[in-house]
Amino acid sequence: MWRSVGVRVLRGGGAGQPRAASGAAAAQLRRRLENELEEIRGAGTWKNERVIASRQGPHLRLAGGGAGAYGEDGEGSRGLFMVRCFSFSFPVGILNFCANNYLGLSSHPEVIRAAVEALEKFGAGLSSVRFICGTQSIHKDLEEKIARFHQREDAILYASCFDANAGIFEALLTPEDAVLSDELNHASIIDGIRLCKANKYRYKHMDMQDLEAKLQDAQKHRLRLVATDGAFSMDGDIAPLKEICQLAQKYDALVFIDECHATGFLGPNGRGTDELLGVMDKVTIINSTLGKALGGAAGGYTTGPKPLIDLLRQRSRPYLFSNSLPPAVVGCASKALDLLMESNAIAQSMAAKTQRFRSKMTAAGFTISGKEHPICPVMLGDARLAAVMAEDMLNRGIYVIGFSYPVVPKGKARIRVQISAVHSDEDIDRCVEAFTEVGRKHGALP
């Protein structure tokens, strides 16, 4: 039987007109927020969002007339990238050097086709969480494929890797346990650790002496978990997993790694830093993303021992209370993994391109953080300089972003360049030339 529901009509401006909350408290809040925003602008750390009017790829068209000869449909001259079994093309325009699209798969035709097929067969979404009525066969298939790719027992999907990191520590660790975290771990790891009740230790960035001292102190706790990024997103350096695993074995600890900036392209078969450094059998838990190299859409996951995955399905709050991953996203990621497991050619194509950019930029006089990773931070120090240089780079047809506090520590502002397998040598050389011109203009180079 239907019941009538009372509706309160809000009075205010006409249709389509924005409404502002009234009252002294709302006015006070507005003033405080405006002052805080002005401080951000004044510090030179304001983050503008550039609007892309084309697919993600090495060449972009920006809304409002970005560089490139395009019609209304975004089509223009096209460049071709080929690597063994991979062959696909992108529009030429603004050169994009700031996406996590490491393998170029976000615009790969087979990945897009798989998404369309999943959308048509399984619908736009599940309108539910997994344990109620939100699990489809493609979710189970993708989880099995992820576990097989990483050579682990099982896997569980999340809406993002941020959610995966938010869900694991609270479900796994108790006040009897300890977690030891690298000080430069991703914000999602830091937030996830804050949610748990374990005893918390923070060791100096990649400092094995400090980690050992912390492990010695943590011996009084029941379970010890070392948590680290496999590859650090802001600095482009790779965790010393061999040494971490040796210490973990010495002090009877477990190892957790976040592989968001490694999955798909580090290691001989793109399985990540544990494969790259030969410790796949020493790392217990891996969290990673589907939203970077593996199709670039969204989604994250945890893979590891089956009892842990079973526990997360029962206790992990982001999993239990978030809608299921949309079928189109599942289709994208599943096809991306198929391509990677069929051939390691695209994963292996990264090294030479990364080395080309790093060596040319170093020769020009820039300081590039990290080593042998496609994340190539151009260290500048000053937040305003990073922002101004990034804008000048865009004027020269190169899309890069300046990073400053609070994304990175104060005094360590940089422009983070990210190399993709679909960048050509000419693209890389053009980027270096633009950096050299802009660096000299603004005094970053002599």
Side-chain angles (χ1 to χ4, degrees):
M1 181 175 179
W2 293 97
R3 284 191 287 175
S4 61
V5 178
V7 177
R8 182 166 61 93
V9 177
L10 297 176
R11 303 189 182 278
Q17 295 300 310
R19 303 185 187 191
S22 60
Q28 182 183 27
L29 174 63
R30 177 177 286 271
R31 286 193 299 271
R32 182 176 69 80
L33 294 177
E34 288 175 346
N35 289 337
E36 190 170 339
L37 293 171
E38 192 55 41
E39 288 175 5
I40 295 173
R41 292 188 185 94
T45 58
W46 185 269
K47 297 162 190 64
N48 290 308
E49 296 181 359
R50 298 166 180 167
V51 180
I52 298 171
S54 60
R55 293 179 179 180
Q56 183 65 272
H59 307 95
L60 299 175
R61 179 169 61 90
L62 297 185
Y70 292 93
E72 289 299 315
D73 59 355
E75 295 295 321
S77 59
R78 304 183 76 83
L80 183 65
F81 167 74
M82 300 183 68
V83 53
R84 214 144 100 197
C85 65
F86 297 90
S87 177
F88 46 102
S89 56
F90 295 96
V92 175
I94 286 178
L95 281 174
N96 180 14
F97 277 91
C98 62
N100 298 314
N101 187 26
Y102 294 111
L103 302 179
L105 296 182
S106 63
S107 294
H108 192 290
E110 290 187 48
V111 172
I112 294 171
R113 191 178 307 117
V116 173
E117 290 173 357
L119 181 66
E120 291 177 341
K121 183 175 181 180
F122 292 99
L126 279 299
S127 306
S128 181
V129 301
R130 287 283 296 270
F131 82 94
I132 298 177
C133 62
T135 300
Q136 293 176 319
S137 57
I138 53 173
H139 293 98
K140 302 304 292 184
D141 291 344
L142 178 56
E143 286 169 337
E144 185 277 330
K145 195 173 293 184
I146 288 168
R148 181 155 41 92
F149 178 73
H150 285 285
Q151 298 179 6
R152 296 305 194 273
E153 293 178 11
D154 202 357
I156 180 173
L157 290 170
Y158 287 88
S160 69
C161 190
F162 205 113
D163 278 352
N165 286 340
I168 188 166
F169 301 104
E170 184 181 26
L172 177 62
L173 303 175
T174 75
E176 297 180 64
D177 305 317
V179 57
L180 303 95
S181 175
D182 188 293
E183 65 179 349
L184 293 188
N185 275 340
H186 191 269
S188 59
I189 298 176
I190 294 169
D191 286 359
I193 289 173
R194 284 173 177 163
L195 291 171
C196 78
K197 296 180 180 179
N199 298 275
K200 302 169 180 66
Y201 296 80
R202 185 175 67 173
Y203 64 92
K204 296 175 184 176
H205 181 49
M206 301 200 308
D207 186 326
M208 294 300 96
Q209 286 186 335
D210 193 38
L211 174 57
E212 183 166 19
K214 299 293 195 303
L215 279 167
Q216 290 171 348
D217 190 46
Q219 287 301 104
K220 55 183 175 284
H221 304 297
R222 181 187 63 173
L223 182 150
R224 292 156 296 283
L225 178 68
V226 179
T228 181
D229 279 340
F232 290 85
S233 61
M234 284 297 121
D235 293 280
D237 46 10
I238 297 170
L241 285 184
K242 282 187 178 180
E243 293 81 359
I244 289 174
C245 289
Q246 288 169 358
L247 287 174
Q249 186 172 10
K250 181 178 179 180
Y251 292 99
D252 195 22
L254 303 173
V255 177
F256 161 96
I257 55 175
D258 178 311
E259 288 285 79
C260 287
H261 292 276
T263 299
F265 58 93
L266 286 188
N269 299 290
R271 288 184 168 88
T273 55
D274 61 337
E275 184 189 45
L276 176 72
L277 300 174
V279 292
M280 291 187 72
D281 59 337
K282 301 292 194 302
V283 174
T284 307
I285 307 166
I286 294 173
N287 277 12
S288 194
T289 183
L290 307 173
K292 292 182 171 56
L294 300 183
Y301 58 85
T302 296
T303 185
K306 189 177 189 312
L308 169 64
I309 303 305
D310 288 343
L311 179 68
L312 292 175
R313 293 191 196 280
Q314 304 302 314
R315 296 276 180 83
S316 178
R317 291 168 67 84
Y319 178 81
L320 290 170
F321 297 103
S322 295
N323 259 22
S324 305
L325 207 57
V329 173
V330 176
C332 282
S334 186
K335 176 54 68 174
L337 281 170
D338 287 342
L339 293 172
L340 287 176
M341 288 192 281
E342 287 170 6
S343 169
N344 65 354
I346 195 167
Q348 291 184 342
S349 71
M350 295 296 300
K353 296 175 186 293
T354 298
Q355 177 59 28
R356 185 182 187 93
F357 180 81
R358 283 180 170 273
S359 62
K360 284 180 172 285
M361 286 290 285
T362 301
F366 288 103
T367 299
I368 310 299
S369 180
K371 183 181 179 182
E372 298 176 358
H373 193 283
I375 292 174
C376 304
V378 182
M379 303 304 292
L380 299 169
D382 182 79
R384 288 182 179 277
L385 177 62
V388 170
M389 281 185 60
E391 287 300 319
D392 247 9
M393 290 290 288
L394 185 61
N395 292 334
R396 287 165 171 76
I398 308 294
Y399 188 171
V400 290
I401 294 293
F403 287 83
S404 55
Y405 181 82
V407 180
V408 297
K410 289 183 178 180
K412 293 191 175 182
R414 80 281 308 267
I415 292 176
R416 186 180 70 173
V417 175
Q418 289 170 274
I419 306 299
S420 172
V422 290
H423 284 130
S424 67
D425 288 348
E426 291 75 15
D427 293 339
I428 292 170
D429 292 348
R430 180 178 157 196
C431 182
V432 173
E433 290 169 6
F435 259 112
T436 303
E437 292 174 10
V438 171
R440 287 173 179 160
K441 175 182 175 181
H442 294 283
L445 291 179

